[in-house]
Amino acid sequence: MQVPAPFEYARATSVQDALELLERHGPESHVIAGGHSLLPMMKLRLARPEWLIDINDLAELRHITEDAGVLRVGALTRHAALLGSDVVGRLFPIVHDAEKVIADPVVRNRGTIGGSLGQADPAEDLTTVCDVLRAQVVIVGPAGERVVDVAEFHRGPYETACEQNELITEVRFPIRTGSASAYEKVERRVGDWAVAAAGAAVQLGDDGTIADAAIGLTALGLEGLATDAAAVLVGQRPSEDLIAEAARLAAEASSPVEDQRGPVDYKRHLADELTRRVLRRALERVGATATAA
Amino acid sequence: MTTVQERSPMPQEREPNPALTDPSRPIGFGRVQRKEDPRFVRGKGRYLDDVVLPGMLHGAVLRSPMAHARLVSIDTTEALAHPKVHAVITGKDLEGLNLAWAPTLSADVQAVLATDKVRFQGQEVAFVVAEDRYSARDALELIDVEYEELPVVIDARRALDPGAAVIRDDKEGQTDNHIFDWEAGDKAETDAVFARADVVVRQEVVYPRVHPAPMETCGAIADYDPIDGKLTLYETTQAPHAHRTLYAMVAGIPEHKIRVIAGDIGGGFGNKVGIYPGYVCAIVGSIVTGKPVKWVEDRSENLMSTSFARDYIMKGEVAATRDGKILAVRTHVLADHGAFNATAQPTKYPAGFFSIFTGSYDLEAAHCSVTGVYTNKAPGGVAYACSFRVTEAVYLVERMVDVLAQELEMDPAELRLANFIRPEQFPYKNKTGWEYDSGDYEPALRMCMEQIGYADLRREQAEKRARGELMGIGVSFFTETVGAGPRKHMDIVGLGMNDGAEVRVHPTGKAVVRISVQTQGQGHETTFAQIVGEELGIPTEDIEVVHGDTDQTPFGLGTYGSRSTPVSGGAVALAARKVREKAKAIAAAMLETRPEDLEWEKGRFYVKGDPSAAKTISEIALGAHGTVELPEGVDGNLDAEVTYDPPNLTFPFGAYICVVDVDPGTGKVKVRRFVAVDDCGTRINPMIVEGQIHGGLADGVGMALMEFIGFDEQGNCLGGSFMDYLIPTAMEVPDWETGYTVTPSPHHPIGAKGIGESATVGSPPAVVNAVVDALAPFGVTHLDMPCTPARVWAAMQGRPTPPI
């Protein structure tokens, strides 16, 4: 049995209580939500927090609410709840695409959206999803609440704008009319981390041209969105050539590294291939038909 | 030999049993639910880690972070100062007990705890005994070890390079990393056939290092009683008796003072055959502290340090005529045995039964040679349901036959059908010295082809290829050699590979059968009861199967190499028949007639011509133990024991066909269908047979598509957790479709051949052949396992590379 190094444990009763506990126990205290990233790392003794602050009792962080053009998702919302939510599937099909391939049901029953974003693993799927949907993250700390764009939230692999003494409380997704999104991942086996994945969101204008687009890549060494790739789409009518050009640019923007999941050339190929697939699917979902060249 | 052709599932598996009056009390062979399952499905199995002894302490192993390094110093002061630590044992301490090194199962030695060097990442360096497992783990971090890094040998192909670091400088006279050269078959004859053949195909085929990864990791609880000098050892072992004897030989504890107990075991697959350093350390820990010591490894320890499987680099060659007659096969194998030669196989077979690589084909000649080398990797090599390297042999020949089919532009199924050993040739002597006991191959392959709709699939494939879709159909046909084995040829460290069985029928007609083999999930408690039931007509649930305790069972070598049914099954059947003979004599006395006037039907003897004058087995049992006047030479019980020395091995076979779809954009392989037609001779419990097949097929898909233990250039193990070492889930495997033929073994008491490893042996080539078939439009003729998306895509780009 893998055994973590010794640690102390406290169970927070409210957001305020959690913040106080973090403050009291100092820099070596760590919030635990679903625990599906933190606990394995603790068992391997790669993570050695002195205190775990358990926030699983904070029901106020568990909600999915459509509210004035925004979908508000509490940070403690489980993957399974996102996957089970009709409103999420209707407004943001990309979330369901991604959730279906996040780990396995056991992990999805425990893992949370806040935990996923906070962990900021480069192979983590919801980060790309939130990038593509231009979500905002609500962070609460000793100085009060602040709302940051997801682009600012992420500061690199395993690094975010949420400080040690702060708590992610909510993720907000702007609802856009005439838009759709999609996500696709290649994995060696169900439940494995992504070899590579891509996500895309498109918004169609009244004239049938693409009004807005966003493309994100997972596990492909791209921080934030593939902006050049998205830019070629805007103002254009969807076509296979246009998709191919965007995919080519997305692959160009990627900088994958070789590992056991595959070599660089394969991963870059996947950036291209998966970008094509998600753009096609997102356009299909929004009702556009890409005309063959 | 008659081959019964049936297709499962059959509404009626066998003739109605004349003794069967209550369908809830089945007797003998047939589809019976497993007796052991009620406790497993309720979570009430009793595995090693469930055992808690009074005052028990816990051990943990400190392991080397380096693959090859000299041990400069070990400082245990701080660990010993930990308030909950009772002892810290190092190699130096073991040297004093002459236990720092222990003999392996392959005439080598291996370090229990390192004294001079560490030779693979994860090697055992020190052992901490503490009050709880948490403190034991914490204290590992308090041991200070200084290492002096040495150059590593990771690539087996470079192990024999002149400048390669010598890993085993502990061995007198060892100046390189060479372990052995071994060959089988006639080289000159084979070379002559190759020289005159129309067609020769060559392919290097790698069977990469994989791991059995049983759900339960390995562990032991040693309980040494200093008063009576008795050692009770709870172990996750597939071979309790062999372990007891080895401990007696190595540790100097008299054998009658050692009791090995194996409770429920959560999978073994060959991983739990050997003796691991942790077991020895637990024993020493118990002797030192005077308390029971439990040691259970974690998942990473299991994957990084215990017996791996395969790691064979095989250069295959096939000679054939232009019209598709296979003439000869030859191969040279480079075998990576890791840092210690610790493979578990019969002494005379350093490459196991690899020489069965002639497969199911009637050949003119065959020759194989195997060179074993040391590398800085974990030891092992014979594991993962491999039937002593039949896995590697079958993979090689079945891959090579497909390479030939592609070269000759012949259908791979037709090529196999044209080259099978014919039924009238059995018993068939192959060119490397095996005598195949029985077989009828063509009906099995034809059944498989029909069941999967082979011709339709080929049509579908042609249509899809025209559209640029990638679909592959893979055929494999295997013959195994299992049930080791005849004592004149086969031993492990000098212990003949025979097994004992003891049957006792109690006065009320209930029975107990004691066996030496050790279930790890195979269903022994049911299968062996069914064998006794078949012979004596006693309902299955009235027969208790006792195993897993050396104090309660006869000697035998244990369960691996699919040997339980072929060897112990024979022993149990013969012991039951001895009981029946005894029962006949007693029944004759009871019926006041002569034994030769009695007729047996399942469960009772009756007087010929007068079926109403009869005695049931229960009545006879009561008579035997009661006051019936016993005939001359018959004593008052219904007990018998037998140690079975099989006259030959058994040769199960099967035909497998797999259908895959490959995503041309991502290289992702999806196994769409898999039909397995197996012939294991007599089928004792078809449900258990199918379960064994299903498990083995999943293994095969895992190995073909994802399982792999890799190493980086420093010798760091890259497969040390289930995040890195992937095993298949229900999502990667299709609904299995099975069929069967029955060709009994002519020499086995009940005609059974064993089924435990057939599917693990036979399925990897079916999957890989299907993947290669799917990629044929890209000119791909071979792709090594694992066929991960990246490796498949590389093959499509014309760059298929071996994994090692």
Side-chain angles (χ1 to χ4, degrees):
Chain A
M1 189 171 94
Q2 277 155 340
V3 177
F7 64 90
E8 299 291 332
Y9 173 88
R11 205 167 173 90
T13 54
S14 66
V15 170
Q16 198 49 43
D17 184 37
L19 293 175
E20 280 168 22
L21 286 165
L22 285 168
E23 197 68 38
R24 189 181 320 149
H25 298 302
E28 296 308 318
S29 59
H30 201 296
V31 168
I32 184 164
H36 274 67
S37 298
L38 182 57
L39 290 180
M41 286 171 69
M42 286 172 63
K43 285 180 170 187
L44 294 167
R45 301 199 174 202
L46 296 172
R48 311 175 69 115
E50 286 171 11
W51 277 85
L52 284 187
I53 313 301
D54 188 335
I55 59 165
N56 279 284
D57 285 347
L58 308 191
E60 65 265 42
L61 300 186
R62 213 172 351 242
H63 55 265
I64 298 173
T65 320
E66 198 179 342
D67 177 16
V70 171
L71 185 77
R72 299 148 63 108
V73 176
L76 206 53
T77 304
R78 315 276 178 197
H79 294 295
L82 286 168
L83 191 52
S85 160
D86 291 340
V87 63
V88 169
R90 177 169 50 80
L91 293 172
F92 307 109
I94 186 174
V95 178
H96 277 193
D97 288 350
E99 286 293 356
K100 279 179 195 158
V101 293
I102 289 175
D104 51 43
V106 178
V107 172
R108 293 200 290 264
N109 284 341
R110 290 293 299 167
T112 64
I113 184 169
S116 297
L117 296 184
Q119 180 69 18
D121 189 300
E124 196 279 312
D125 302 286
L126 289 186
T127 298
T128 301
V129 168
C130 289
D131 274 340
V132 161
L133 296 177
R134 299 198 174 95
Q136 292 184 313
V137 181
V138 182
I139 300 170
V140 178
E145 185 181 286
R146 61 203 170 99
V147 181
V148 296
D149 288 342
V150 75
E152 289 167 54
F153 177 78
H154 287 296
R155 295 189 173 164
Y158 308 104
E159 273 185 68
T160 71
C162 182
E163 300 296 333
Q164 182 277 331
N165 60 352
E166 295 183 310
L167 202 61
I168 302 168
T169 55
E170 194 174 83
V171 183
R172 293 178 184 166
F173 297 96
I175 300 166
R176 294 148 168 259
T177 51
S179 73
S181 54
Y183 191 77
E184 184 164 336
K185 164 155 110 176
V186 172
E187 51 191 3
R188 294 176 300 175
R189 187 205 65 188
V190 164
D192 186 26
W193 292 102
V195 177
V202 290
Q203 190 174 21
L204 223 52
D206 293 339
D207 59 354
T209 62
I210 297 169
D212 190 15
I215 297 167
L217 303 173
T218 305
L220 285 165
L222 173 70
E223 289 294 326
L225 294 168
T227 42
D228 291 351
V232 299
L233 299 169
V234 177
Q236 305 293 317
R237 283 188 183 280
S239 74
E240 266 302 316
D241 277 353
L242 188 66
I243 289 170
E245 177 60 6
R248 190 186 65 78
L249 289 168
E252 218 172 86
S254 71
S255 57
V257 292
E258 173 164 5
D259 59 15
Q260 290 215 95
R261 292 178 177 80
V264 168
D265 60 348
Y266 172 61
K267 291 186 179 183
R268 191 162 280 136
H269 161 77
L270 287 183
D272 185 311
E273 176 71 26
L274 295 178
T275 300
R276 283 173 203 244
R277 292 185 183 189
V278 291
L279 280 174
R280 275 191 212 120
R281 195 170 320 131
L283 285 165
E284 216 173 274
R285 281 172 174 166
V286 80
T289 36
T291 50
Chain B
M1 192 55 52
T2 38
T3 295
V4 184
Q5 285 188 50
E6 299 162 303
R7 180 168 299 174
S8 71
M10 294 287 291
Q12 186 71 51
E13 290 287 347
R14 59 196 168 92
E15 288 298 299
N17 188 335
L20 186 68
T21 51
D22 178 357
S24 70
R25 290 168 59 76
I27 296 176
F29 300 166
R31 192 175 285 273
V32 175
Q33 290 201 337
R34 303 197 330 163
K35 291 171 65 182
E36 47 270 76
D37 283 346
R39 72 173 184 274
F40 292 138
V41 300
R42 290 178 171 93
K44 298 292 181 191
R46 191 169 161 81
Y47 298 92
L48 182 101
D49 210 15
D50 296 323
V51 176
V52 177
L53 302 179
M56 188 172 77
L57 303 175
H58 294 263
V61 173
L62 180 70
R63 295 177 182 277
S64 166
M66 291 180 194
H68 200 194
R70 195 161 299 288
L71 271 183
V72 179
S73 64
I74 304 181
D75 183 353
T76 61
T77 325
E78 221 184 311
L80 279 166
H82 188 289
K84 289 187 173 173
V85 168
H86 285 237
V88 180
I89 299 162
T90 66
K92 227 178 210 63
D93 302 323
L94 293 185
E95 262 176 345
L97 302 166
N98 205 21
L99 281 176
W101 293 81
T104 69
L105 298 178
S106 284
D108 193 358
V109 289
Q110 92 174 73
V112 176
L113 292 176
T115 52
D116 55 341
K117 295 201 300 187
V118 289
R119 292 171 170 85
F120 67 93
Q121 188 190 44
Q123 188 181 335
E124 298 78 1
V125 173
F127 188 74
V128 170
V129 183
E131 271 166 43
D132 56 65
R133 60 179 68 187
Y134 313 104
S135 306
R137 290 271 167 160
D138 290 347
L140 294 182
E141 298 183 341
L142 303 176
I143 301 172
D144 191 15
V145 186
E146 194 185 330
Y147 297 98
E148 180 191 316
E149 218 167 332
L150 295 169
V152 294
V153 179
I154 294 304
D155 183 352
R157 299 170 211 261
R158 310 294 304 275
L160 298 178
D161 283 1
V166 178
I167 296 166
R168 296 300 304 280
D169 46 357
D170 58 293
K171 289 176 78 178
E172 185 119 1
Q174 180 87 35
T175 56
D176 58 18
N177 295 314
H178 181 266
I179 309 176
F180 66 85
D181 286 309
W182 178 83
E183 64 178 329
D186 188 323
K187 184 170 189 324
E189 186 183 61
T190 308
D191 290 350
V193 175
F194 268 83
R196 65 172 163 79
D198 302 341
V199 181
V200 173
V201 290
R202 298 185 172 86
Q203 179 63 52
E204 182 186 275
V205 174
V206 174
Y207 210 135
R209 180 174 281 235
V210 292
H211 198 280
M215 197 184 296
E216 179 198 35
T217 59
C218 300
I221 303 166
D223 184 10
Y224 183 75
D225 184 335
I227 308 301
D228 64 9
K230 183 149 186 173
L231 171 68
T232 306
L233 190 61
Y234 300 81
E235 264 194 343
T236 54
T237 175
Q238 300 175 220
H241 287 278
H243 275 210
R244 184 188 58 185
T245 305
L246 288 170
Y247 286 125
M249 289 171 168
V250 174
I253 302 171
E255 196 166 3
H256 66 293
K257 293 287 190 186
I258 304 173
R259 178 182 182 190
V260 176
I261 298 173
D264 288 326
I265 295 183
F269 315 103
N271 188 235
K272 291 169 179 167
V273 174
I275 291 177
Y276 293 119
Y279 303 171
V280 179
C281 288
I283 295 171
V284 175
S286 180
I287 292 173
V288 168
T289 60
K291 294 187 170 170
V293 173
K294 177 189 276 188
W295 169 75
V296 181
E297 67 189 6
D298 67 30
R299 178 59 58 193
S300 293
E301 293 181 287
N302 180 255
L303 288 170
M304 289 175 69
S305 74
T306 64
S307 188
F308 70 95
R310 330 287 192 247
D311 222 340
Y312 261 34
I313 299 170
M314 306 177 276
K315 290 192 188 313
E317 293 179 280
V318 181
T321 62
R322 181 56 63 187
D323 60 357
K325 170 72 189 127
I326 304 174
L327 303 172
V329 291
R330 79 186 163 192
T331 185
H332 177 70
V333 177
L334 183 61
D336 185 340
H337 281 232
F340 306 103
N341 186 19
T343 63
Q345 76 254 303
T347 305
K348 292 179 197 163
Y349 301 82
F353 300 160
F354 179 79
S355 62
I356 191 96
F357 83 116
T358 53
S360 312
Y361 310 107
D362 183 23
L363 305 178
E364 290 179 18
H367 180 259
C368 65
S369 58
V370 180
T371 298
V373 297
Y374 291 120
T375 59
N376 288 117
K377 301 177 193 167
V382 170
Y384 205 166
C386 76
S387 300
F388 296 125
R389 307 272 191 199
V390 180
T391 319
E392 289 91 325
V394 164
Y395 181 65
L396 175 67
V397 66
E398 289 307 290
R399 194 71 274 289
M400 291 308 298
V401 169
D402 261 38
V403 171
L404 177 68
Q406 221 167 339
E407 170 71 22
L408 297 176
E409 295 179 353
M410 279 183 73
D411 180 273
E414 294 301 329
L415 180 61
R416 285 173 172 83
L417 287 166
N419 283 282
F420 279 149
I421 300 163
R422 295 181 307 281
E424 65 275 15
Q425 290 177 286
F426 291 92
Y428 175 84
K429 276 202 166 64
N430 88 334
K431 292 293 176 184
T432 53
W434 299 99
E435 186 178 298
Y436 293 28
D437 59 349
S438 65
D440 193 356
Y441 296 162
E442 183 174 336
L445 182 50
R446 295 242 182 248
M447 178 185 285
C448 191
M449 292 168 73
E450 191 193 313
Q451 197 166 336
I452 204 157
Y454 190 74
D456 289 344
L457 285 169
R458 286 288 175 203
R459 269 192 293 278
E460 181 191 342
Q461 182 184 38
E463 287 165 20
K464 287 200 160 149
R465 275 188 183 163
R467 296 200 297 266
E469 292 173 41
L470 303 179
M471 165 188 169
I473 304 157
V475 181
S476 99
F477 196 98
F478 66 91
T479 298
E480 278 219 275
T481 176
V482 302
R487 59 191 293 143
K488 63 175 187 255
H489 301 306
M490 289 169 192
D491 69 274
I492 288 184
V493 289
L495 301 171
M497 297 189 75
N498 294 170
D499 281 78
E502 190 189 299
V503 175
R504 291 185 193 174
V505 182
H506 302 316
T508 57
K510 317 287 185 194
V512 59
V513 53
R514 298 169 191 279
I515 53 174
S516 53
V517 286
Q518 176 60 47
T519 188
Q520 312 121 48
Q522 292 92 336
H524 287 181
E525 289 166 44
T526 307
T527 298
F528 287 95
Q530 288 184 268
I531 295 173
V532 174
E534 182 74 15
E535 297 295 337
L536 294 179
I538 300 173
T540 306
E541 76 274 19
D542 288 351
I543 303 163
E544 189 69 14
V545 176
V546 176
H547 61 108
D549 182 345
T550 55
D551 271 8
Q552 290 197 54
T553 55
F555 186 84
L557 279 214
T559 295
Y560 41 84
S562 296
R563 62 190 300 282
S564 294
T565 299
V567 187
S568 273
V572 168
L574 293 181
R577 283 174 198 172
K578 267 184 157 177
V579 166
R580 200 166 72 202
E581 278 312 298
K582 202 173 205 174
K584 189 177 193 180
I586 296 168
M590 293 169 82
L591 292 164
E592 296 176 346
T593 181
R594 297 176 309 169
E596 52 269 38
D597 292 333
L598 292 180
E599 200 75 55
W600 169 257
E601 68 174 19
K602 205 181 271 182
R604 65 174 203 155
F605 281 105
Y606 64 90
V607 178
K608 282 177 190 165
D610 181 10
S612 63
K615 288 289 173 195
T616 65
I617 196 79
S618 295
E619 291 165 338
I620 301 166
L622 197 55
H625 294 90
T627 58
V628 169
E629 194 177 328
L630 296 166
E632 186 71 22
V634 176
D635 46 10
N637 61 50
L638 272 189
D639 305 345
E641 57 187 306
V642 163
T643 295
Y644 183 62
D645 180 27
N648 187 10
L649 283 89
T650 57
F651 294 74
F653 59 90
Y656 291 176
I657 299 179
C658 174
V659 183
V660 301
D661 296 300
V662 178
D663 182 331
T666 65
K668 179 101 181 151
V669 176
K670 175 88 189 157
V671 178
R672 189 206 308 177
R673 285 185 70 196
F674 200 110
V675 174
V677 173
D678 272 276
D679 191 321
C680 61
T682 302
R683 294 155 62 86
I684 298 163
N685 185 330
M687 193 188 78
I688 288 180
V689 168
E690 283 164 15
Q692 294 285 90
I693 292 167
H694 289 182
L697 295 176
D699 287 343
V701 168
M703 284 179 273
L705 299 187
M706 63 193 78
E707 297 185 35
F708 175 54
I709 294 201
F711 294 84
D712 69 11
E713 284 172 5
Q714 287 78 46
N716 294 307
C717 177
L718 303 177
S721 81
F722 277 158
M723 283 192 287
D724 305 305
Y725 187 75
L726 303 177
I727 52 175
T729 73
M731 300 301 288
E732 281 79 34
V733 299
D735 285 338
W736 307 116
E737 301 166 71
T738 57
Y740 64 93
T741 59
V742 177
T743 312
S745 168
H747 63 75
H748 189 267
I750 54 172
K753 289 186 168 185
I755 190 64
E757 301 172 324
S758 286
T760 316
V761 167
S763 56
V767 180
V768 175
N769 286 346
V771 173
V772 173
D773 185 48
L775 302 182
F778 294 86
V780 175
T781 54
H782 177 69
L783 171 61
D784 282 315
M785 300 183 278
C787 301
T788 59
R791 294 175 49 73
V792 169
W793 184 79
M796 289 164 63
Q797 313 308 308
R799 301 192 296 273
T801 47
I804 51 173

